Amino acid sequence: MIYVAGPGHGGPALVANTYLEGTYSEVYPSISRDEAGLQRLFKQFSFPGGIPSHVSPECPGSIHEGGELGYSLSHAFGAVFDNPGLTVACVIGDGEAETGALATAWHSNKFLNPVTDGTVLPILHLNGYKIANPTLLARVTKPELEQLLLGYGWEPYFVEGEEPEEMHRAMAATLDLIVENIRIIRESMRRGGAAQAAGGEAAAREASGGIGTSGQFERPRWPMLVLRTPKGWTGPKVIDGLPVEGSFRSHQVPIVDPATNSEHLRQLEAWLKSYRPEELFDERGTLRAELAELAPVGTRRMGANPHANGGLLLKDLQMPDFRRYAVDVAGGLAGKNTPLATSANDGPSADEPVVRPVDGHGSVKASDTLVLGEFLADVIRYNAAESNFRIFGPDETLSNKLDAVFKATSRQWEAEIIPQDQYLGHEGRVMEVLSEHQCEGWLEGYLLTGRHGLFNSYEAFIHIVDSMFNQHAKWLKVTRELPWRRKIASLNYLLASHVWRQDHNGFTHQDPGFIDHVINKKAEIVRVYLPPDANCLLSAMDHCLRSRHYVNVIVAGKHPAPQWLPMDEAILHCTKGVGIWGWASNDQDGEPDVVMAAAGDVPTLEILAAISILRERLPELRVRMINVFDLMKLQPQSEHPHGLSDFDFDLLFTRNKPVIFAYHGYPWLVHRLTYRRTNHGNIHVRGYKEEGTITTPFDMTVLNDMDRFHLVMDVVERLPQLGQRAAYLKQEMEDTLIRHRQYIREEGIDLPEVLNWKWK
Amino acid sequence: MIYVAGPGHGGPALVANTYLEGTYSEVYPSISRDEAGLQRLFKQFSFPGGIPSHVSPECPGSIHEGGELGYSLSHAFGAVFDNPGLTVACVIGDGEAETGALATAWHSNKFLNPVTDGTVLPILHLNGYKIANPTLLARVTKPELEQLLLGYGWEPYFVEGEEPEEMHRAMAATLDLIVENIRIIRESMRRGGAAQAAGGEAAAREASGGIGTSGQFERPRWPMLVLRTPKGWTGPKVIDGLPVEGSFRSHQVPIVDPATNSEHLRQLEAWLKSYRPEELFDERGTLRAELAELAPVGTRRMGANPHANGGLLLKDLQMPDFRRYAVDVAGGLAGKNTPLATSANDGPSADEPVVRPVDGHGSVKASDTLVLGEFLADVIRYNAAESNFRIFGPDETLSNKLDAVFKATSRQWEAEIIPQDQYLGHEGRVMEVLSEHQCEGWLEGYLLTGRHGLFNSYEAFIHIVDSMFNQHAKWLKVTRELPWRRKIASLNYLLASHVWRQDHNGFTHQDPGFIDHVINKKAEIVRVYLPPDANCLLSAMDHCLRSRHYVNVIVAGKHPAPQWLPMDEAILHCTKGVGIWGWASNDQDGEPDVVMAAAGDVPTLEILAAISILRERLPELRVRMINVFDLMKLQPQSEHPHGLSDFDFDLLFTRNKPVIFAYHGYPWLVHRLTYRRTNHGNIHVRGYKEEGTITTPFDMTVLNDMDRFHLVMDVVERLPQLGQRAAYLKQEMEDTLIRHRQYIREEGIDLPEVLNWKWK
């Protein structure tokens, strides 16, 4: 069993118990099991540099910090998925229970397989108050509360009262009953499991016996506990004539000024002495042996369960070779840096070993995520026996075109299944619920207990879990600095259905700002990848699934799009993170006149289209094309471990040439990353600037001035030396944009020259 | 009544009905009520530049765009607060119902006063499917669903079936019943209202009669509807042998290729003809008069209800004069620009009219939000009769020190109230629930229907509603461009308990990034204010509460802190948005050697403390102190309407002098705002960089290198010409920081010289 504490300031419970059972002193020898250790334990509490009143990374046995409320139940479920032997006792505060994330997390029981997953025991603690208000669930009638919990699919047991002795006995008896019921459900379901796996659902139903099956299918009704006690229970009852126990006044610090108020000091002393420490600790300040022996031993102790230090249990994923799923783009490394002008259309020739065809770049179209799906399907297959990899998402696995995974697995679903359902099963590696909070919370719980996973979402709506990401990033930052905490698998976000491709969804579905949000967190923790095509996406995902203790954000396209890099080039490009695409550049003889840079799939397409116009119309112009795959390369080395040195940055982006940069997201982000670079003053960034509606993908780039025609104009404007021919070209671009506006208003599709454009 | 459509692609229902009732054509005359208009109506649907399949701003009768799921029920409640005559029929999609925001929004009924508020009629539409999955609530048993809704406190009525004729009759009959029950509850509660107001709760309870009162108190059990119909109902039943009606396959576009597949074309035609348009429209394509007459008239029409164009109903708030709540800081304008060296400690003297005392600056301490509370209390009092102002927050009104508002009002709460409760009442202007989603959704609904309000939250946790803010900002951007949409009151965020003051909460409560998130949205819509003291906060709030159609973010301190500006100076400063604080500067004779800039209350304190050290130890150094109140002043004029011209920016920040900038949030944000400014290369920013723990407020600045000692070192490092004395000072600062580290580790408090520091 592990223990998850939802209530905000419930941390001391775990700290005290792990100290008493000995794990705290094992992890922190200076907090010894004697008077000196006790003093250090007390002093560090809420002391500068010490430990907070929330469950925190420093506390052995914890799996997340509890500063922000609402995620305990989702974390608990994440922890027990694929852990059939584990039970998580999850205390839910009645304040926390008002949050959206918690309110929907009760439904997690419809996703828990009783055979292959463990058990969550929710303990709803109704102490009645938040900071300054009563709580909702404590102020509805008991029948209403019971209906609510039954309606959520649980079997509530109530322990209510305020007389400590009676309550301890009632709690123990009820917990015994609940644990026994959990055992019965598990055993009967697991006996029935074989029959069920063989399609014998009726048999499984029968096997589950009388224990709370819900209607016509076999989901058991798991027990939960409602514990109703006074807030500040056993603390001071009345202070200054105002009730404290059983009131919001006992929130956090009931007695605030004992140092200056002698009456309060007396009350504090009386309260602390009411625990009769002299009976519990010997003269050296050590817990008496007969009491210490009551705790379990070894890894059964709260602070020593390896599930709560998930890196201890973490096994590497068995990874298929991602190169096997490559899109076949002709050319390959031999074509690198080959001047485009000398390329041929007819494939490699033995007679011309030096000049290999390079026009494979962009010659085929594919959906990046569709390709990725095949790879992920094999990741699922390779790790089926270990059952330590899952994909989470809000109903978007198919919409994001990861269809192939359903050749290898199902969506796990324990609510009713009917014959016409597709890809639903009682066991499956894909978890879909229309709640980003649930997906994130489940995945975090899954990772924190030593497994691997992926969150697959629409780009815009991942902001729904901005705050959850914050807390996880903070957890990773702090645990990274604790040597006894083992590293866990990274939290991987795959953001498809991105800002540029919301054709029929429009403005509300356009927001590339999760990247901005993520990189405000510690550089040691966060990574952002913008694969320009499927082969780079494969390489990115392979890398991310192998990585540890990061948050990785991958933004990828799902619609058929030109494929630029053969796999060998893609690997090299991704390894470097940023690089010149020689086949699209013509500056091999020296410095370029202009650098055309892109980060993201749509920006890469528009930059290349702009380059093709420039090179046809202004062949004397020397253009260098740079693709940025690893966004953090742009930051100085001093700010991010991936950052390019200034020397390398200057080599790539030059020290003084104009840089036209097409970026996937909000353009100012590139400035925020590069403002210290030598050539920053010449970097001109195009990106999404909150202009959008229902329209074609190309028109989206036009609305945001990131289309090929604007990019050509940007170049011409910055190079007055190009002269009259360039000025004419600029005029032509402007005319083309006007023509585009008219055409799309009437026809609803892009200009033929845009629709039919191909890199050559 | 107004209609809120939760399901994502449910927009066409509202578009079709508003067209048929005539409002669409009134707003858009080119979409006329004839064949040509019909054609335009059809063509614009999901056509580039046209209207989306969500309910959108362009559609009359809508109050928000429905692209992101989960907020319909909160919006509906926000709309009916203080609108006792209004009923909102709120269709909730069963996909949407899985979101956290929606799952907790059901509890809104515990906050609805049946006498002074209107009624929400939730219509849970169980069509069974999301994009690619079944929905949870459609796949639990009916008893379980019923228990859940009863447990949430509702009285569910079910309408279920698939035979259209029968279903229409059942729906009409059930709606009649529900509307009648709503009327009975309203009338009985309102009859009882007077008795209740006089404390006669028993009488009120009795008056509410047999209609679903919950247990021992008087909250009524409001009716709701569960509508169960097949997904894609009356659409094509089977396509290519696969079921479509009643399946996820009817999501969004059931027939995708009629242009190329003649069988699909035939099916599409048969489906459309099944509506028998020839019976509904005359030969000109106009809806037949006898059918058109079935719709209500005037503002009773769906698209013409003024509540759905809230600006029509919006009345200015009655505003108290904010200057009356000013903190008395001696000095005032007369002291402005007076050299500090000549100031006296003993107040103004008739003999010395020119040199007025300026040391009032910083002489008193106050809690900024505590002062603001008095002002807000009067805003509540002044507008009590109109009932058009509310404060929303997750249990933090007291924690954020707005205590004074409870002298004027209560927290509205319709769950049980017990005698020892504080500031709870059945009617009140403060709405508190521990769900940021609910607070945001309620407030948005309240604003969208023409009222005023404020969201009061901890700074870090406002990220919980990042995505909701996105959607509201997008709504404001688009409606701003629609001339028939009247402007609504701004969405005002008051973020107290900010990153620098999380003394006992620590790292999890530290995140100033909401500002970064907000300013990614359109400049026309967003405003960010960082008042350095209470008088500036008063001025900021007065301004924001009067403003229209913005999102205003105010970040403010709540702990006692030095007060810098007398009210007259504060008004001038806030009006300018950014300015030199002459009394803290000594560059009056010419250009400064260094500019010390601050944005935010804690940064202002540290910058001033650094200046006091510099001026004592290096009196020859000419320092200019700049405070940034309106953050958007930093952006170029071309990027934000508040932006300073380059000329003014250069005047303030110089063209070539070092600028040491202490900023409230992530430091790189200042670079993102100023990278185009002449002197950007010399701007050195300190701010929060994700370093924090349980500690003192001053130590927090040390952990993030933003403390006074680091700031002094920053100055010295950038001015080598200061010579040996400055080098010694830098060494002394380093030593002081080491001393600080030791002291705080042992004593847990700041160095006496920090604790006792005062500006003089």
Side-chain angles (χ1 to χ4, degrees), chain B residues 16 155 207 322 345 368 409 431 502 672 699 718 725 738:
Chain B
E155 186 75 45
F322 67 93
N345 264 325
D368 297 354
T409 191
M431 309 295 295
Q502 289 299 335
R672 166 225 192 288
D699 190 47
R718 272 156 194 80
R725 203 148 42 87
I738 292 167

Side-chain angles (χ1 to χ4, degrees), chain A residues 98 104 133 432 466 520 668, chain B residues 98 104 133 432 466 520 668:
Chain A
E98 294 176 14
T104 196
N133 271 295
E432 292 198 325
D466 274 2
N520 273 342
W668 35 84
Chain B
E98 294 176 15
T104 196
N133 271 295
E432 291 198 325
D466 273 3
N520 274 343
W668 35 83

